Amino acid sequence: MSEPPALPVTFRPKRTRAVLLGAGTVIFVVITVIAFLLPKLSPGERASFVFTGALLFGVLLLLSRPKVVADDSGVSVVNIATSRCLAWAEIVQVTLRPGDPWVFLNLSDGSSLPALGIQPGIAREQAVADAKALRALVDARTPQGD
């Protein structure tokens, strides 16, 4: 068993987030520049270009939102459109099997919660290390481990 990290700790897919935010910024800037460079556009059409760029940036911003935050009180899982706070005792197991798109938290009520903040995507080694660290925290903070 590995040594758990010091609390509080935040796990998030940093490379994926950087790619999404970088692409969103570039898309917004390019669409906005095009809107102002095209001479025959009306002000309303220019505004619709800028709005479309902002909308695309907003979608990519939303996709970059996932994270998992562990502190003394438990674990907060922030996914794309939802967030959930869990007490340490609610988490039975942390799993990241080969081929899984992200970590799953098996809960004491028999359900499973996806934690998109730890995903192999473009940084598999980091995701595996983060999953092991979260597993070590759960083992250290849950009575009698599993």
Side-chain angles (χ1 to χ4, degrees):
M1 177 166 85
S2 61
E3 187 68 27
L7 295 177
V9 63
T10 300
F11 303 105
R12 79 172 358 142
K14 293 176 184 75
R15 286 184 193 165
T16 302
R17 181 175 167 83
V19 168
L20 289 170
L21 294 177
T25 302
V26 168
I27 289 169
F28 176 73
V29 168
V30 167
I31 289 176
T32 301
V33 167
I34 288 171
F36 287 99
L37 289 178
L38 292 175
K40 295 187 179 190
L41 292 181
S42 71
E45 290 170 326
R46 287 185 207 282
S48 70
F49 266 70
V50 174
F51 176 77
T52 301
L55 185 63
L56 291 171
F57 179 78
V59 168
L60 293 176
L61 184 65
L62 192 62
L63 290 173
S64 72
R65 184 175 180 249
K67 65 182 175 179
V68 176
V69 180
D71 59 25
D72 289 326
S73 63
V75 176
S76 297
V77 177
V78 178
N79 287 331
I80 294 171
T82 61
S83 24
R84 183 166 173 193
C85 295
L86 302 164
W88 287 107
E90 291 181 77
I91 304 170
V92 175
Q93 186 180 32
V94 176
T95 60
L96 178 61
R97 297 177 301 253
D100 279 351
W102 40 70
V103 161
F104 288 91
L105 304 179
N106 295 328
L107 306 179
S108 59
D109 66 1
S111 66
S112 182
L113 176 68
L116 279 63
I118 303 174
Q119 50 182 269
I122 57 177
R124 177 149 185 77
E125 298 80 22
Q126 184 62 49
V128 169
D130 289 350
K132 287 180 181 179
L134 184 58
R135 186 176 300 131
L137 283 167
V138 168
D139 290 344
R141 298 219 168 239
T142 303
Q144 302 171 357
D146 258 14

